Amino acid sequence: MEALKISYGVTNVSLLASSRDTSISLFPFLSKKIGCVCTVRFPRNGKFLLRDNRVTLHAQFLRSTVSRYKGATRVSATLETVSAGEILPPPLDSSSDPPPLFDGTTRLYISYTCPYAQRVWITRNCKGLEDKIRLVPIDLQNRPAWYKENVNPANKVPALEHNNEVKGESLDLIRYVDSHFEGPSLFPDDPVKKEFAEELFSYTDTFNKAVVSSLNGKINGASDAFDHIEKALSKFDDGPFLLGQFSLVDIAFAPFIERFEPVLLDVKNYDITSGRPKLTAWIEEMNKIEAYKRTRHDPKEHVERYRRRFLGN
């Protein structure tokens, strides 16, 4: 018999299968995590596959400990968070060793829950750079000391390690990734659109502050901020995005609107799409973009995180 122990966050699942079996069902566990029934397959190369009719997920035996007793083999493995075929590594914390810094590998230091880091993560995905830029998630609640000492003195994410340098600030990084790496361009050539893009980049902080202030006060600031976005979406008629066609500007706003929509509805009973057809269409189109979808969180998680942080519940 083979015993496979799978760890997913704080959830541990132990499964048994005959060595003659080709697969075992994981539906009681994984169906709750990714909404489908999956199987585990045991090939000889030290990896197993999780397979369903939508996506094939790979997980590697990172810390395999094999001990034989009474003819049985026990195998311990870590199942990492998986996104559309990409293995997302677990966050590094104060107990984690640092990666081999400045070894020629391009690394994007992020937090899976940080909207600023999500901007760069989306850009990376849109450029098709999953194999070129390695994600290194940091646990922001228990940050490793080496991150501040050796990577980013500001001790913030995102940060990009590239060409033996570390760069920060999300808006700078999405431009940098777009201009310094291969893949489709995410910034327009049209000078009129470029000028408007700069206006919208400059507005991002004002937008975020106005909405956050409204979460703890009157809704007027958020209402004005989303009216501004609705008006911006009306400027160009060659597509549903802020510059007509999808661009870095949409990426700059998307992580925040993703959070503000469910949180405002929960805390203020305020629907940001009501009376704003352009914004409604923008959200619908953004949610069709696979590179963005792979970075999204469940809206309930955003609400719970906000309530813990700001309301203490």
Side-chain angles (χ1 to χ4, degrees), residues 226-227 230-231 270-280:
F226 283 106
D227 284 345
E230 180 73 10
K231 182 178 179 181
Y270 182 74
D271 182 358
I272 66 172
T273 64
S274 179
R276 299 187 181 99
K278 297 285 186 180
L279 179 59
T280 302

Side-chain angles (χ1 to χ4, degrees), residues 39-112:
T39 59
V40 166
R41 303 186 184 278
F42 294 90
R44 297 178 180 178
N45 61 1
K47 296 182 179 181
F48 60 85
L49 302 180
L50 305 182
R51 185 182 301 275
D52 73 353
N53 60 0
R54 293 184 299 107
V55 65
T56 299
L57 313 177
H58 297 265
Q60 190 171 7
F61 286 3
L62 301 177
R63 296 180 181 177
S64 295
T65 303
V66 179
S67 60
R68 298 183 180 277
Y69 59 96
K70 295 183 179 179
T73 300
R74 177 179 295 276
V75 181
S76 295
T78 298
L79 176 61
E80 299 169 338
T81 308
V82 186
S83 173
E86 179 184 8
I87 299 176
L88 301 182
L92 303 181
D93 60 21
S94 60
S95 66
S96 304
D97 293 329
L101 302 173
F102 306 118
D103 63 349
T105 302
T106 300
R107 296 181 177 89
L108 175 59
Y109 297 88
I110 67 168
S111 163
Y112 293 132

Side-chain angles (χ1 to χ4, degrees), residues 75-253:
V75 181
S76 295
T78 298
L79 176 61
E80 299 169 338
T81 308
V82 186
S83 173
E86 179 184 8
I87 299 176
L88 301 182
L92 303 181
D93 60 21
S94 60
S95 66
S96 304
D97 293 329
L101 302 173
F102 306 118
D103 63 349
T105 302
T106 300
R107 296 181 177 89
L108 175 59
Y109 297 88
I110 67 168
S111 163
Y112 293 132
T113 62
C114 173
Y116 296 96
Q118 188 180 357
R119 285 171 167 171
V120 194
W121 184 9
I122 297 167
T123 305
R124 163 196 180 260
N125 293 352
C126 286
K127 301 281 286 185
L129 298 170
E130 291 87 345
D131 294 332
K132 303 289 185 181
I133 301 178
R134 179 184 173 186
L135 294 180
V136 182
I138 301 296
D139 183 346
L140 298 183
Q141 306 305 315
N142 186 20
R143 307 178 200 211
W146 53 258
Y147 182 69
K148 180 177 181 180
E149 294 169 358
N150 302 326
V151 180
N152 187 359
N155 206 23
K156 299 190 297 184
V157 293
L160 183 71
E161 178 190 339
H162 183 234
N163 288 341
N164 293 320
E165 294 181 342
V166 174
K167 304 177 184 298
E169 300 301 329
S170 63
L171 290 180
D172 293 337
L173 286 181
I174 63 175
R175 295 173 187 259
Y176 183 88
V177 170
D178 187 43
S179 61
H180 285 75
F181 292 86
E182 62 189 26
S185 175
L186 298 172
F187 204 67
D189 293 325
D190 184 328
V192 175
K193 290 190 175 184
K194 281 186 175 181
E195 182 179 1
F196 192 55
E198 297 302 331
E199 291 180 22
L200 289 173
F201 281 140
S202 298
Y203 180 66
T204 55
D205 283 344
T206 301
F207 172 80
N208 294 335
K209 290 176 182 177
V211 178
V212 170
S213 296
S214 294
L215 288 169
N216 296 303
K218 295 182 178 180
I219 202 65
N220 304 57
S223 180
D224 291 343
F226 283 106
D227 284 345
H228 189 101
I229 298 297
E230 180 73 10
K231 182 178 179 181
L233 285 164
S234 303
K235 187 172 180 66
F236 301 105
D237 59 5
D238 58 334
F241 298 103
L242 285 162
L243 300 182
Q245 300 301 305
F246 178 74
S247 73
L248 292 178
V249 180
D250 302 291
I251 292 173
F253 282 93

Side-chain angles (χ1 to χ4, degrees), residues 242-294:
L242 285 162
L243 300 182
Q245 300 301 305
F246 178 74
S247 73
L248 292 178
V249 180
D250 302 291
I251 292 173
F253 282 93
F256 297 91
I257 294 177
E258 173 189 325
R259 288 156 175 78
F260 293 151
E261 182 181 15
V263 170
L264 279 169
L265 190 61
D266 177 82
V267 175
K268 293 291 188 178
N269 196 29
Y270 182 74
D271 182 358
I272 66 172
T273 64
S274 179
R276 299 187 181 99
K278 297 285 186 180
L279 179 59
T280 302
W282 181 87
I283 292 172
E284 290 175 353
E285 292 302 315
M286 282 298 304
N287 288 337
K288 296 177 183 177
I289 297 174
E290 185 63 33
Y292 165 59
K293 286 169 59 179
R294 284 155 44 198

